[in-house]
Amino acid sequence: MAPAPPPGPFAPAAALAAGWGADGALALSDGRSLVLLGLALPTALDPQPGLLARSRAAAEMVLDGRLLVPAVRSADRHGRLAGDAVLLPEPGSPADGGSPSLALALLAAGAGYADPGAAPACAAALLAAEAQARQKRRGIFSDPDTVAPAHDHDRLGRRAGLFTLVEGRVRAAGATREKVFLNFGSRWREDFTIVLPAGDFATILGDGLVAAMLRGTLVSVRGVVRMDGGPAIFVRSRHEILILEGPATAESKEDTAR
């Protein structure tokens, strides 16, 4: 007799166990997969040594022995559940009346990167949870190399197609009618570039700011690396890029580090 098919994507919510998966999703005990919006988990395609093992160890600290209830209303193009889940209290512990987000719990443990562009309504909470993991060097952030330097275009090229957190100082900035380009090296066809839509530039980075004013600033950007001549991240949301230091600070720390 053939096994019964797993429940459909939007079966009634029930308490389930979950395990970490190397494909960026969680494997639920009823046979479905869950992609947590707002959390980018490393996958088996990631070339950084040890990153996958650190992600798995961090996730298992949260998931092992726990039950969760998926809270989703959609599926991704692969048919996986897409949303968040409520992490239920540990067995024997008193319920506190809260509904802890599984995505936030995994971020705080350092299991992955915050992806606020996928869940903009929760952006502040997602970034705060990741900041907690970075401050305490948990999970993937126990290795400082998890944050990629913008000047290392070879390393970023190897991360094409992967979600990446990048920090660096802007060397040059330019714009066309449609796009704003922030370049991080002298060879703009090879070096890392941040690309922003010109029409949304003020919304993303603030009124009164023009591209040329960003030269020399230290920025943090997150997203999927694409190859557009050199490696690039296309920013669509104000939560995906952050100015860390203005150009009036000391000489570029990257130059000192090289």
Side-chain angles (χ1 to χ4, degrees):
M1 178 174 167
F10 309 115
L16 302 168
W20 179 91
D23 61 350
L26 301 180
L28 300 178
S29 56
D30 66 357
R32 296 179 292 176
S33 294
L34 172 64
V35 175
L36 293 169
L37 297 181
L39 168 67
L41 290 170
T43 74
L45 298 176
D46 199 295
Q48 184 178 333
L51 188 73
L52 210 62
R54 290 190 293 274
S55 173
R56 180 170 190 163
E60 288 178 346
M61 288 181 62
V62 175
L63 295 171
D64 281 3
R66 303 290 294 275
L67 294 177
L68 58 90
V69 177
V72 298
R73 294 184 179 179
S74 63
D76 70 5
R77 60 192 179 93
H78 302 294
R80 303 177 300 185
L81 299 178
D84 200 353
V86 174
L87 189 62
L88 300 182
E90 294 186 64
S93 64
D96 58 7
S99 299
S101 156
L102 179 58
L104 293 180
L106 290 171
L107 278 170
Y113 307 93
D115 182 10
C122 305
L126 294 167
L127 292 170
E130 183 197 90
Q132 181 181 346
R134 292 182 66 179
Q135 181 181 15
K136 297 185 177 181
R137 297 183 179 180
R138 294 173 176 164
I140 64 173
F141 297 107
S142 61
D143 183 353
D145 284 343
T146 297
V147 181
H151 65 262
D152 192 345
H153 62 271
D154 289 335
R155 175 180 169 185
L156 289 169
R158 293 192 294 271
R159 296 194 61 79
L162 300 175
F163 193 96
T164 305
L165 180 57
V166 184
E167 291 184 5
R169 199 170 292 274
V170 178
R171 302 299 182 192
T176 65
R177 292 183 61 183
E178 296 182 351
K179 297 178 181 178
V180 174
F181 301 90
L182 306 181
N183 298 315
F184 292 81
S186 58
R187 298 167 297 179
W188 63 271
R189 291 186 182 274
E190 300 176 18
D191 291 311
F192 177 64
T193 303
I194 297 174
V195 184
L196 304 96
D200 295 331
F201 182 81
T203 301
I204 293 173
L205 283 172
D207 292 328
L209 193 65
V210 296
M213 296 170 63
L214 294 174
R215 187 177 185 275
T217 58
L218 182 67
V219 302
S220 171
V221 67
R222 64 186 65 230
V224 175
V225 176
R226 304 183 191 180
M227 295 305 294
D228 187 39
I233 289 180
F234 286 67
V235 171
R236 304 297 180 190
S237 161
R238 65 184 179 89
H239 305 294
E240 296 168 342
I241 183 170
L242 177 65
I243 298 176
L244 301 176
E245 291 180 0
T249 56
E251 289 292 321
S252 171
K253 295 178 182 178
E254 288 179 14
D255 288 339
T256 303
R258 290 187 196 186

